[in-house]
Amino acid sequence: MKSVKFENGDEMPILGLGTWKSKPGEVYDAVLHALKCGYRHIDCAPIYQNEKEVGKALQKAFKDGIVTREEIFVTSKLWNNAHKKDQVIPALEKTLKDLKLDYLDLYLIHWPVAQKEVNVSQPADFLSPKEVPLLETWEGMEEAFHEGLTLHIGVSNFNIKNLTEILDNCEVMPEMNQVELHPLLPQNDLIEFCHENGVQVTAYSPLGSTDRTAAMKKDDEPNLMENETIQSIAKKHNISPAQVLIAWAMERDTVVIPKSVNEGRIKENFESLKVELDQVDLEKIAKIKGPYRFVDGTFWTMEGSPYKLEDLWD
Ligand SMILES: NC(=O)C1=CN([C@@H]2O[C@H](COP(=O)(O)OP(=O)(O)OC[C@H]3O[C@@H](n4cnc5c(N)ncnc54)[C@H](OP(=O)(O)O)[C@@H]3O)[C@@H](O)[C@H]2O)C=CC1
Ligand SMILES: O=C1CO[C@H](CO)[C@@H](O)[C@@H]1O
């Protein structure tokens, strides 16, 4: 499979399976089916509350000889409630226990936002950047890397300023920034900055994250897969709109992690690897009017929060 390369020559498969919103009862089959289809990369996080089921599916795949541990690439993420330096390794160990793995391929700081160690998915109980600086969390990530618990470390939802803070002061470089990317939010400057600094980029919500709960959506949210330009390019190549969006992400040398729990769509998305968009397609996509951010981060910036929206995004 096409891949992106890290500084040490390790490769990361350019296409992976997303698992946010994949229910525990569905994600087991989704992961197994994806691995049988040829996927070799799974994107996870403890906040998705399904890592135990992902772990069971991985065990089954190893047992049945579908893949070996070395053949797959598994990413997970440090949640906001474990940003203190001494909380990072225990959080990673819990994820490894749930995924039933000895090591991760990639571990990311999920958000540049710290919360107290309470039962979170609530946007509350924040710790300010003064109380827990990003660099403190990064030092915990470096420790996890040195202990061999993860082969690579990186960040997610980081803007250029946050990344610079780490890049200028770190001992081990962040090798990945996972951010929202699609034609309505191409983030060209951020990608250029990352690539110039040896940081690979992963595109999340590449299909427009249509299955988010109503509470997470604005009333006038656009539907990316129904976009006229995307639909016309799909028609021209006799492929689906989702395949256009996934191929577009890979064309830009960004890793892409579409989520699906549907067998047919998991296969369809995998087949995007064969799609070749031409220059005319790319120019048309570049003209799609944005920006629109689906996962907009407003939940971290409500009244009383030390985090402000203008500090979160470039
Ligand atoms: N780091 C971060 O902060 C974030 C990371 N992520 C990661 O990125 C992944 C992908 O993003 P996500 O927000 O889930 O959304 P996506 O943009 O991947 O969209 C998922 C939706 O698209 C549907 N879908 C999938 N394939 C097709 C297809 N071929 N045709 C039509 N519909 C399709 C899915 O339905 P169905 O399952 O029924 O097929 C689901 O409703 C996440 O799952 C997660 O792993 C996402 C958000 C934030
Ligand atoms: O990856 C993600 C999906 O789930 C979280 C919410 O529960 C988001 O905050 C995050 O960006």
Side-chain angles (χ1 to χ4, degrees):
M1 191 196 293
K2 208 178 155 193
S3 61
V4 299
K5 252 193 190 157
F6 293 116
E7 300 273 301
N8 72 349
D10 283 358
E11 294 185 40
M12 174 174 187
I14 196 159
L15 177 62
L17 180 75
T19 61
W20 177 32
K21 306 172 264 67
S22 303
K23 296 188 184 69
E26 301 169 334
V27 78
Y28 176 86
D29 288 334
V31 169
L32 264 183
H33 183 68
L35 295 172
K36 283 182 196 160
C37 255
Y39 285 73
R40 293 295 177 262
H41 162 195
I42 313 290
D43 183 77
C44 312
I47 198 70
Y48 304 161
Q49 295 181 32
N50 56 13
E51 287 195 323
K52 278 189 181 161
E53 289 73 19
V54 173
K56 281 184 194 154
L58 295 177
Q59 282 298 308
K60 172 83 173 147
F62 300 153
K63 188 166 156 270
D64 290 359
I66 299 165
V67 286
T68 62
R69 171 65 187 96
E70 295 68 35
E71 283 169 338
I72 59 166
F73 191 103
V74 183
T75 302
S76 188
K77 313 184 189 97
L78 176 76
W79 190 240
N80 306 349
N81 62 346
H83 271 218
K84 291 189 180 157
K85 188 174 171 183
D86 62 359
Q87 292 176 317
V88 177
I89 287 183
L92 173 48
E93 283 172 339
K94 165 80 167 75
T95 270
L96 288 173
K97 188 171 172 233
D98 287 350
L99 291 171
K100 298 176 188 56
L101 298 175
D102 301 329
Y103 67 94
L104 287 180
D105 296 277
L106 176 63
Y107 197 46
L108 307 175
I109 301 180
H110 204 142
W111 284 92
V113 167
Q115 290 176 271
K116 290 182 187 154
E117 194 180 7
V118 287
N119 185 15
V120 241
S121 53
Q122 296 300 320
D125 296 313
F126 292 106
L127 290 164
S128 72
K130 280 214 177 94
E131 289 169 293
V132 190
L134 285 177
L135 268 174
E136 172 180 337
T137 312
W138 189 253
E139 282 171 18
M141 299 290 282
E142 292 179 330
E143 265 182 20
F145 168 79
H146 287 310
E147 292 213 1
L149 298 172
T150 179
L151 301 182
H152 300 275
I153 48 177
V155 296
S156 173
N157 295 302
F158 271 44
N159 61 15
I160 292 177
K161 184 171 168 283
N162 289 333
L163 257 176
T164 305
E165 191 179 329
I166 306 284
L167 286 166
D168 286 353
N169 296 288
C170 63
E171 186 210 324
V172 181
M173 282 260 303
E175 294 192 273
M176 175 60 71
N177 189 15
Q178 182 181 120
V179 293
E180 179 173 333
L181 289 175
H182 43 70
L184 288 168
L185 193 69
Q187 306 215 61
N188 297 333
D189 291 348
L190 178 62
I191 295 182
E192 194 183 329
F193 175 85
C194 288
H195 285 168
E196 273 173 2
N197 285 280
V199 181
Q200 294 292 350
V201 181
T202 296
Y204 78 60
S205 302
L207 309 178
S209 200
T210 39
D211 56 346
R212 276 152 43 258
T213 57
M216 287 197 76
K217 292 185 182 183
K218 293 201 186 86
D219 292 342
D220 56 352
E221 177 167 304
N223 185 317
L224 197 50
M225 282 182 280
E226 286 173 10
N227 176 280
E228 266 179 32
T229 305
I230 300 299
Q231 293 248 344
S232 73
I233 296 170
K235 209 166 167 194
K236 171 178 144 188
H237 292 282
N238 199 20
I239 56 175
S240 70
Q243 288 175 323
V244 174
L245 293 165
I246 296 166
W248 175 84
M250 295 189 291
E251 178 64 39
R252 291 166 16 116
D253 293 326
T254 59
V255 176
V256 61
I257 47 173
K259 171 264 176 187
S260 180
V261 290
N262 173 280
E263 279 201 21
R265 291 192 283 276
I266 288 172
K267 183 164 182 282
E268 175 185 316
N269 296 346
F270 191 70
E271 285 170 356
S272 309
L273 284 164
K274 292 187 231 150
V275 172
E276 281 189 32
L277 300 176
D278 59 38
Q279 206 48 42
V280 179
D281 302 329
L282 297 176
E283 280 164 19
K284 281 189 182 161
I285 293 175
K287 287 195 188 127
I288 292 178
K289 210 170 149 345
Y292 192 88
R293 200 182 277 280
F294 294 101
V295 181
D296 64 8
T298 45
F299 33 88
W300 306 134
T301 60
M302 289 170 174
E303 220 185 313
S305 164
Y307 299 93
K308 304 277 163 267
L309 212 51
E310 60 268 26
D311 297 332
L312 211 48
W313 308 125
D314 287 306

